[in-house]
Amino acid sequence: MENIEAPALGETLAVLLARDMADGEKVIIGTNSDIQLAAVNLARLMQAPRLWWISGPGGMVNATRDHLLSTADFENIESSEAWMDLPNTIDFIDWKIHFFDFAILSALQVDRFGNINTVVVGDQAKPKVRGPGTVGISALCGLAKRFYVALTRHDRSAFVPRVDFLCGAGHMEGGDSRERMGIPAGGPKLVLSPLGVFDFEPVSKAMRVRSVNPGVTLEQVRDATGFDLVVEGAPPVTQLPTAAELHLLRTRVDIRRTLQRKFP
């Protein structure tokens, strides 16, 4: 195989997500979802050929192209295995508990227990930033078996002690608080950022360092995080995409190099 240039951030996040998907699982992704779309279609080419994914806004099932489009784009219909109209999609999200094995989400903020905010940063009456709103995130975080959070920045304004607006239920206040509040078991499995990969300590449900990305120190991660992370021993270095994974991504999933361009 020819020499492969180093992965861009977007490519790394897509590959790390794809590795954690299993054959036969069902997943829903949103509109502004280049990384998520690349991840599910890459997983279908690798270890999960029967992975089933649907576009939340568009209703297209398993749209397969060699380049990335908005998941709401009508051009996806041509290559889709099926199409579901919006009312039926909403019914699947809101009423079929644990129908979806997982969702992949982005956020303005994520906190120590994996709660996410896509609505507003700062005072709601005079916000610093307005996001897209809750859309279907509240239902997905509450009803999917698990969810992932992929963030393209890692600083104290994104990794906060408590989200300014809780629209996606993670592990709430930690421990068994999610279940005590009547939310089905589940919650965030992994949070991915430019600095590393994070999971959640099984008892406290506090965010834990799973691995740090190459060239990043644990001290850098701590300095960029607005709360104390759980650290157990010396975290390993994140395994970056292999040459084979990048070749597949760039020749079968993202030939226009959208991930490199948007998330260098």
Side-chain angles (χ1 to χ4, degrees), residues 2-263:
E2 72 276 11
N3 290 331
I4 299 291
E5 61 186 286
L9 171 62
E11 293 177 317
T12 296
L13 295 177
V15 170
L16 294 178
L17 286 165
R19 288 174 182 167
D20 210 62
M21 301 176 189
D23 198 21
E25 290 193 304
K26 299 180 292 294
V27 56
I28 184 168
I29 60 178
T31 304
N32 188 20
S33 302
D34 295 307
I35 292 170
Q36 294 91 321
L37 176 57
V40 294
N41 278 340
L42 181 61
R44 281 166 53 82
L45 291 172
M46 297 194 304
Q47 78 281 0
R50 295 181 299 115
L51 181 78
W52 184 98
W53 72 266
I54 185 169
S55 158
M60 286 77 82
V61 176
N62 289 342
T64 304
R65 308 183 75 88
D66 61 7
H67 57 278
L68 302 179
L69 293 172
S70 165
T71 55
D73 196 307
F74 72 92
E75 289 186 34
N76 287 306
I77 295 175
E78 178 187 6
S79 65
S80 297
E81 295 177 0
W83 177 78
M84 186 181 296
D85 63 14
L86 186 58
N88 284 334
T89 303
I90 292 172
D91 283 346
F92 270 88
I93 295 172
D94 288 346
W95 298 110
K96 294 185 181 295
I97 295 176
H98 284 176
F99 174 80
F100 289 106
D101 291 288
F102 62 93
I104 311 171
L105 307 168
S106 57
L108 298 173
Q109 296 176 322
V110 61
D111 69 23
R112 183 185 179 205
F113 298 113
N115 303 299
I116 66 173
N117 170 21
T118 61
V119 176
V120 62
V121 174
D123 185 345
Q124 293 181 51
K126 194 175 182 180
K128 297 177 183 176
V129 178
R130 283 195 182 277
T134 60
V135 198
I137 286 175
S138 298
L140 290 173
C141 290
L143 303 179
K145 293 178 184 176
R146 68 184 190 274
F147 66 87
Y148 299 86
V149 184
L151 298 176
T152 55
R153 64 190 179 94
H154 189 140
D155 55 41
R156 287 174 175 261
S157 66
F159 283 70
V160 295
R162 188 70 173 173
V163 291
D164 291 344
F165 189 105
L166 198 164
C167 68
H171 296 299
M172 298 303 288
E173 297 172 1
D176 63 352
S177 61
R178 178 183 169 100
E179 290 77 11
R180 285 190 287 104
M181 293 179 185
I183 306 172
K189 181 179 180 183
L190 298 177
V191 176
L192 298 91
S193 86
L195 299 186
V197 180
F198 308 86
D199 59 13
F200 296 85
E201 197 279 323
V203 177
S204 69
K205 300 298 176 66
M207 193 181 295
R208 177 174 63 181
V209 180
R210 179 169 176 170
S211 67
V212 295
N213 290 350
V216 176
T217 68
L218 184 57
E219 195 62 31
Q220 286 176 301
V221 175
R222 284 174 163 152
D223 287 345
T225 305
F227 52 87
D228 290 335
L229 291 156
V230 176
V231 179
E232 298 175 350
V237 176
T238 306
Q239 182 186 349
L240 289 184
T242 65
E245 289 169 329
L246 283 176
H247 179 78
L248 198 58
L249 177 65
R250 292 170 178 173
T251 60
R252 299 283 301 280
V253 176
D254 184 23
I255 65 168
R256 295 178 180 175
R257 304 292 180 95
T258 299
L259 296 180
Q260 288 182 326
R261 188 172 66 253
K262 294 176 104 174
F263 313 105

